[in-house]
Amino acid sequence: MKIFRSSLFFALCSAVLGAEPAQTVFVNGNIYTMNERQPRAEAIAVKDGRIVFVGSNADAKKYQSAETKTVDLAGKTVVPGLTDSHCHIFGIGEREMNLNLEGANTLEDFLAKVKERVPKTERGKWITGRGWIETFWKPPQFPTRADLDKIAPDNPVFLTRADGHAAIANSAALRIAKIDKETTNPFGGEILRDKQTGEATGMLLDHAQGLVSKNIPGPTEAERREAFVVGVKRELSLGWCEIQNAGSNLDDLPPMRQALEAGQCKLRVFNAVYAPGPSGAALLHDGPTLNQYDHRFTQRTIKVVFDGALGSRGAALLEPYSDAPETSGYLTQKEEELRPIFEEALRRGIQIETHAIGDRANRVILDLYEKAMKAVPPEQRKILAPRWRVEHAQILSAPDLPRFAKLGVIASMQPSHAISDLFFAPSRLGKERLAGAYSWQSLLKSGAVVTGGSDAPVERGEPMIEFYAAVARKSIKGESADGWHPEEAVSREQALKMFTLAPAYAAFEEKDRGSIESGKLADLTVLSAEIMKIPAPEILKTNCAMTVIGGEIVYEAPH
Ligand SMILES: [Zn+2]
């Protein structure tokens, strides 16, 4: 050990003394490295996309030559390149391109936005959009097809709720889908009906959405590629250096690859594919793709959607909903279909990530993970510790919480969900169940890895909203709810870890990413304010000043 230490010491000294010039040196930074051995620094030197030095401005001089580009960070705060551990990149781009219903604060607002689209759309052509949330409306009721029929009688209309787990269709759309009084609910979905007449209201939950959406002509490959590129551009401007794309189909791959090959995607993309189905089957057959396009594309994960969402009461609960005792939600996949996929994934070194929101979905998926790990013992696995994930892990029954750490399952959670759901979760769940809801701190204390994401376009997808939500656990206006467990908020260091080291671990990338230290990829997020010290509400006013990926400045805020 002693020999190792002294040789390491001399190696470090000679590295500094005889340092080879770097391509870029960043100086005058207020740098949080997330490296325990050297938590703070002023300067970073970069060569061939990787960090070769972290330390003081004075020592950085040794890496500067006439050819070296020097970037003055002007005292700004720098953190390891932030990762969104859960978002949907095509949806983010499409939100920018289609009818964006975010921020429709009343039913009238919502209808006004749709009405504006009608004269711009050819008669008979589809009007689609996304982003509405009725919980802010007064009363907080779902829209109906009658509301839409009044403003758009001649166009089929299909508008997805922000969470993607529900949509409203007008009568023209229901006619095309042949949905009437007699249509039965598909597995894992529900056609909401008028309590008196039994007619469909137009609201379709989870798998019932497919009855209508399968009739909508899909975007062309060129439009898909544009959505991807638009999404990537937005992510870079927000300071994200990597996104973990929470689900894709086989036809998403060509537009992604084309953009990567054309150099239109500087963002690092960690891509999951949906299963059961052909996309997951292809990954199980072909095996993982690692670090393609200069560490910009990795695909080693299968995404399963196991229940609905809380807002539309599709999340599978152990007990009925407190505000709708006739339902306790539903699972959207059959256990017997998942079992062989999970076992094969262990043999093939494929990671599994499963959307589970309700406490029942979380319990059953942990059971299934545990069963698969028993069925395929370590010696039969390609990767000993498979780092499987539960996406959302939103509502946990007390006995299940410690199972994450015990099974080595990563909780992939979205702080903004807690502050968006603040207004309806208490009525859906009742006070008792809130104790196990959005339990970031309890999970961390239990020893689990908690990785942070935004679930954009379900949420806005801005890193500073996520960081604020994690540390404040209050709405953007500073509101909290009765029984909202403020003790589940996390510290700023814990929050930063959720968007740096934890996502690197969750993607098997901890050797390359997650902290600012020599040898790692030079991914940096430069911020307009000192987020580790300013009062929490000011975090929301903080912007991305610069995004650096592999040492290259890929975004810079206008001065
Ligand atoms: Zn999602």
Side-chain angles (χ1 to χ4, degrees), residues 195-213:
K195 284 204 173 94
Q196 265 103 50
T197 65
E199 298 281 357
T201 66
M203 277 300 300
L204 305 166
L205 307 187
D206 287 296
H207 286 188
Q209 297 178 87
L211 300 174
V212 170
S213 64

Side-chain angles (χ1 to χ4, degrees), residues 86-88 130 163 165 246 274 303 355 391-392 414 417 454-458:
H86 182 125
C87 66
H88 304 273
R130 181 167 180 164
D163 64 14
H165 287 272
Y274 286 116
K303 165 81 180 285
H355 162 119
E391 303 302 306
H392 312 307
Q414 300 73 35
H417 282 346
S454 75
D455 206 5
V458 174

Side-chain angles (χ1 to χ4, degrees), residues 346-347 372-384:
L346 282 171
R347 283 184 217 107
M373 289 180 205
K374 279 203 183 111
V376 184
E379 62 274 14
Q380 290 173 27
R381 295 181 201 164
K382 190 146 186 209
I383 297 170
L384 201 63

Side-chain angles (χ1 to χ4, degrees), residues 294-523:
D294 200 11
H295 284 265
R296 278 187 169 79
F297 184 77
T298 286
Q299 183 171 272
R300 62 184 307 160
T301 306
I302 275 177
K303 165 81 180 285
V304 174
V305 178
F306 203 40
D307 69 344
L310 191 61
S312 46
R313 299 192 190 85
L317 300 177
L318 292 162
E319 303 288 336
Y321 278 85
S322 299
D323 59 356
E326 69 280 8
T327 178
S328 51
Y330 39 78
L331 295 176
T332 49
Q333 298 295 341
K334 296 184 176 124
E335 294 182 35
E336 62 273 20
E337 254 191 274
L338 297 180
R339 206 170 301 138
I341 295 174
F342 288 2
E343 291 176 14
E344 182 63 6
L346 282 171
R347 283 184 217 107
R348 301 279 287 151
I350 303 286
Q351 185 183 42
I352 301 287
E353 60 174 44
T354 304
H355 162 119
I357 289 188
D359 49 11
R360 181 169 163 236
N362 275 280
R363 175 170 298 173
V364 178
I365 203 66
L366 289 171
D367 289 346
L368 286 175
Y369 282 6
E370 200 172 353
K371 278 182 210 159
M373 289 180 205
K374 279 203 183 111
V376 184
E379 62 274 14
Q380 290 173 27
R381 295 181 201 164
K382 190 146 186 209
I383 297 170
L384 201 63
R387 302 189 194 180
W388 284 3
R389 313 165 36 146
V390 173
E391 303 302 306
H392 312 307
Q394 218 166 78
I395 301 141
L396 302 175
S397 167
D400 294 322
L401 195 140
R403 296 176 69 199
F404 283 81
K406 223 178 117 210
L407 295 170
V409 171
I410 297 161
S412 169
M413 303 177 82
Q414 300 73 35
S416 56
H417 282 346
I419 67 170
S420 301
D421 298 3
L422 189 65
F423 303 98
F424 63 81
S427 59
R428 297 272 192 281
L429 297 172
K431 244 186 185 165
E432 243 170 71
R433 278 186 290 207
L434 286 184
Y438 318 91
S439 301
W440 315 315
Q441 193 61 267
S442 297
L443 279 160
L444 286 168
K445 281 192 183 133
S446 76
V449 172
V450 178
T451 192
S454 75
D455 206 5
V458 174
E459 301 282 354
R460 297 256 293 274
E462 297 176 22
M464 288 303 112
I465 294 180
E466 298 304 327
F467 189 77
Y468 164 83
V471 301
R473 205 174 164 91
K474 285 178 183 159
S475 80
I476 284 174
K477 291 181 188 144
E479 303 143 317
S480 185
D482 195 22
W484 199 246
H485 296 274
E487 73 281 5
E488 291 292 347
V490 300
S491 71
R492 298 201 189 195
E493 288 70 25
Q494 287 174 320
L496 191 53
K497 195 171 176 185
M498 283 168 69
F499 292 92
T500 55
L501 286 169
Y505 177 82
F508 299 86
E509 289 171 345
E510 68 274 17
K511 283 198 182 80
D512 288 319
R513 301 190 72 254
S515 61
I516 297 173
E517 54 184 297
S518 284
K520 289 200 182 182
L521 294 167
D523 293 0

